[in-house]
């Protein structure tokens, strides 16, 4: 694995290896890398969870974190994303973490740079590191993927989380279902749409999505369409879920919109556990990339392997 930009190019074996590595790290921690490594976190869009969990992951690995703020960078002088990334590569960054509004940009950069590129969210394209932490969270409850019924619910059309997860869950042998407003259905994902009221009853994993207001061309009134009652997870719907079923949401959560606020921290919610797993998932990705990219100390990787299991 030279880059981590999409779940489309990942085999079942590759995904399982990363899930197990991340799960091991979440239980046993990880040793810092030997030597000096620099990580460039290029966030052109706002982020709390993804950005900060990358910073924690990088610092746990002993990496130097090269911060970047668009409004204080040469982006304000018109520098392109390519030249910005190339600059970080030239001054010694060992990997680039990129969040950007342009779909497919991480893949394009990966083809042009000699250091690993990690996609931390590209427009409505993909969010593969979020996907990995979601998979780790599912694995911790079920210890397998084959045959699990996973429902992805909400703003499918504008969600990069939905895309990465639907692809990866299908690769892993899950039965993927989608549910949500007709206007937000996405023909690019070849999975069946079912009614919300059926979805809550069949799901082993119920994955809610944030409404992506910032990507909507038309303004949308939540009150007019009574979103929670018609399309969200209400207390009444949660009561009809299977006993063992779990709730995921990538967050930030629109409380009282996608989900009743009282369910955000309920017994079957894994929302904050997902965030916790985000650090281990990102450590697993970084260590994999640095090892196989040729600039990771092999002896230290073996130490990590021993710890990871
Ligand atoms: N889940 C997610 O990507 O959150 P942030 O936008 O806060 O990084």
């Amino acid at each position: 694995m030279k880059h981590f930009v999409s779940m489309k190019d990942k085999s079942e074996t590759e995904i399982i290896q990363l899930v197990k590595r991340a799960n091991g790290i979440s239980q046993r921690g990880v040793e810092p890398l030997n030597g000096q490594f620099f990580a460039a976190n290029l966030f052109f869009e706002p982020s709390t969870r993804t950005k900060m969990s990358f910073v924690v992951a990088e610092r746990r690995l002993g990496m130097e974190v090269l911060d970047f703020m668009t409004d204080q960078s040469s982006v304000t002088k018109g520098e392109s994303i390519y030249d910005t990334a190339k600059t970080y590569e030239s001054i010694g960054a060992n990997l680039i973490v990129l969040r950007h509004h342009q779909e497919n940009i991480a893949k394009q950069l990966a083809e042009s740079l000699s250091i690993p590129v990690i996609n931390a969210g590209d427009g409505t394209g993909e969010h593969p590191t979020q996907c990995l932490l979601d998979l780790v969270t599912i694995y911790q409850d079920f210890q397998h993927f084959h045959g699990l019924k996973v429902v992805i619910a909400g703003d499918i059309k504008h969600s990069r989380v939905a895309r990465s997860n639907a692809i990866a869950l299908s690769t892993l042998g899950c039965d993927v279902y989608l549910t949500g407003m007709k206007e937000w259905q996405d023909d690019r994902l070849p999975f069946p749409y079912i009614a919300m009221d059926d979805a809550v009853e069949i799901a082993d994993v119920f994955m809610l999505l944030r409404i992506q207001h910032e990507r909507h061309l038309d303004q949308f009134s939540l009150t007019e369409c009574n979103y929670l009652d018609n399309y969200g997870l209400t207390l009444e719907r949660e009561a009809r879920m299977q006993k063992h079923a779990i709730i995921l949401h990538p967050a930030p959560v629109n409380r009282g919109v996608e989900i009743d606020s009282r369910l955000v921290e309920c017994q079957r919610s894994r929302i904050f556990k997902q965030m916790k797993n985000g650090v281990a998932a990102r450590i697993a990705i970084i260590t994999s990339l640095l090892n196989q990219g040729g600039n990771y100390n092999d002896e230290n990787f073996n130490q990590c392997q021993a710890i990871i299991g």
Side-chain angles (χ1 to χ4, degrees), residues 210-223:
R210 182 175 69 83
I211 299 176
Q212 310 266 304
H213 290 287
E214 71 276 23
R215 301 190 203 290
H216 292 176
L217 295 177
D218 300 322
Q219 286 305 312
F220 162 75
S221 166
L222 292 170
T223 32

Side-chain angles (χ1 to χ4, degrees), residues 2-3 36-42 66-68 79-98 106 108-118 293 295:
K2 286 190 175 158
H3 304 279
Q36 195 175 37
F37 291 88
F38 292 91
N41 296 335
L42 307 186
L66 302 174
D67 206 1
F68 169 78
E79 189 164 56
S80 70
I81 169 72
Y82 173 77
D83 282 335
T84 300
K86 198 75 189 161
T87 300
Y88 274 87
E89 180 187 57
S90 304
I91 63 176
N94 298 98
L95 64 84
I96 282 178
V97 179
L98 179 71
Q108 287 169 28
L109 268 189
E111 285 161 5
S112 317
L113 299 180
S114 59
I115 55 174
V117 175
I118 301 175
N295 55 358

Side-chain angles (χ1 to χ4, degrees), residues 75-213:
V75 170
T76 58
K77 303 170 201 165
E79 189 164 56
S80 70
I81 169 72
Y82 173 77
D83 282 335
T84 300
K86 198 75 189 161
T87 300
Y88 274 87
E89 180 187 57
S90 304
I91 63 176
N94 298 98
L95 64 84
I96 282 178
V97 179
L98 179 71
R99 171 169 287 196
H100 199 274
H101 52 82
Q102 190 180 324
E103 191 170 331
N104 230 20
I105 187 73
K107 186 164 183 290
Q108 287 169 28
L109 268 189
E111 285 161 5
S112 317
L113 299 180
S114 59
I115 55 174
V117 175
I118 301 175
N119 179 5
D122 61 336
T124 54
E126 284 206 48
H127 196 347
T129 72
Q130 174 72 42
C131 173
L132 183 64
L133 73 89
D134 293 340
L135 297 178
V136 173
T137 309
I138 294 170
Y139 181 77
Q140 288 170 349
D141 266 83
F142 295 95
Q143 285 81 50
H144 74 99
F145 293 97
H146 265 270
L148 287 180
K149 289 185 168 39
V150 183
V151 174
I152 305 178
D155 188 359
I156 312 276
K157 189 174 179 178
H158 304 99
S159 173
R160 53 199 178 198
V161 176
R163 210 166 318 287
S164 285
N165 268 298
I167 294 163
L169 289 162
S170 173
T171 303
L172 294 173
C174 296
D175 296 329
V176 177
Y177 299 89
L178 308 173
T179 185
M181 278 173 53
K182 200 166 180 303
E183 292 82 346
W184 293 343
Q185 295 188 358
D186 187 343
D187 297 338
R188 289 187 291 175
L189 290 175
F191 303 100
Y193 280 87
I194 57 176
M196 181 71 168
D197 283 312
D198 299 330
V200 287
E201 292 181 1
I202 66 153
D204 297 301
V205 178
F206 201 83
M207 182 182 289
L208 290 157
L209 302 170
R210 182 175 69 83
I211 299 176
Q212 310 266 304
H213 290 287

Side-chain angles (χ1 to χ4, degrees), residues 46-50 99 127 130 250-252:
S47 167
T48 299
R49 276 145 290 274
T50 311
R99 171 169 287 196
H127 196 347
Q130 174 72 42

